[in-house]
Amino acid sequence: MATKNLSDYDISKVPSATGIKVAIVVAEWNFDITSALRDGAVETLLKHGVNEKDIFVEYVPGSFELIHGSKVVYEKYSPDGIIAIGAVIRGETPHFDFISQGVTYGIARLNVELDVPVIFSVLTTNNKEQAFDRAGGRLGNKGTEGAITLIKMISLAKK
Ligand code: RBF
């Protein structure tokens, strides 16, 4: 898993994203990482045909707030799907396990409760270097992967 770079995806296998509306919620904690993930997501959505005016980016203080933040953007923008972006880093976070589990559970629950997919683009790493590797570094960009995943999930619902 550590050496897999899923950002090198086959573009021909991604459905068209023209006409979809996407909300992105970004945690401000570890913003050097989360802003790079956000850029990867936005760039990828645009590349696949999403209109700039149909991408709504909102910010929340930390990864734990991604849960409520996702609910808020769902109600505010009625998007076809949501990407939740965060970075929880073990070395700097005594609360690592609690925050990681809380966010994972909360986003999973939203996927059941809301009628649109909420993509989990939250890095949970041992240190900052591992996070940078996955935010545009040598292991790709998890924001890019989140955008592709969202496009595929929205297409699944529309089939
Ligand atoms: N939020 C993150 O997104 N990433 C972190 O690494 C992170 N570390 C935290 C460490 C501690 C000790 C605390 C109290 C909070 C941390 N948060 C982190 C913020 C958390 O997601 C949330 O914003 C706050 O707990 C307020 O609900």
Side-chain angles (χ1 to χ4, degrees):
M1 147 68 207
T3 53
K4 217 167 184 179
N5 180 352
L6 300 176
S7 300
D8 292 333
Y9 61 95
D10 182 351
I11 196 161
S12 69
K13 294 207 172 113
V14 181
S16 163
T18 310
I20 70 171
K21 221 159 109 178
V22 177
I24 303 177
V25 195
V26 185
E28 287 169 331
W29 199 286
N30 294 317
F31 196 59
D32 43 358
I33 308 283
T34 60
S35 57
L37 295 171
R38 173 205 60 198
D39 292 348
V42 170
E43 201 177 281
T44 306
L45 292 170
L46 294 172
K47 185 168 141 191
H48 285 274
V50 182
N51 270 317
E52 204 168 351
K53 66 167 181 46
D54 291 329
I55 302 174
F56 304 91
V57 184
E58 295 278 5
Y59 297 89
V60 294
S63 289
F64 195 73
E65 284 69 46
L66 289 171
I67 305 160
H68 189 69
S70 295
K71 211 170 113 187
V72 169
V73 295
Y74 172 75
E75 280 154 14
K76 197 165 162 184
Y77 300 113
S78 303
D80 296 300
I82 300 166
I83 304 172
I85 291 177
V88 192
I89 297 175
R90 186 186 290 275
E92 296 165 12
T93 310
H95 288 39
F96 179 86
D97 293 314
F98 301 117
I99 294 178
S100 304
Q101 279 168 24
V103 185
T104 308
Y105 176 73
I107 302 279
R109 205 175 136 181
L110 286 178
N111 274 281
V112 178
E113 286 175 1
L114 305 182
D115 58 1
V116 301
V118 183
I119 304 305
F120 185 81
S121 288
V122 181
L123 295 180
T124 53
T125 60
N126 287 326
N127 54 51
K128 211 142 199 190
E129 192 192 341
Q130 288 178 347
F132 275 120
D133 284 346
R134 292 159 178 81
R138 68 187 178 91
L139 296 176
N141 187 317
K142 294 288 165 196
T144 298
E145 294 173 29
I148 297 297
T149 305
L150 183 69
I151 293 169
K152 287 183 173 173
M153 290 307 292
I154 292 172
S155 150
L156 176 72
K158 289 188 171 167
K159 257 183 204 161

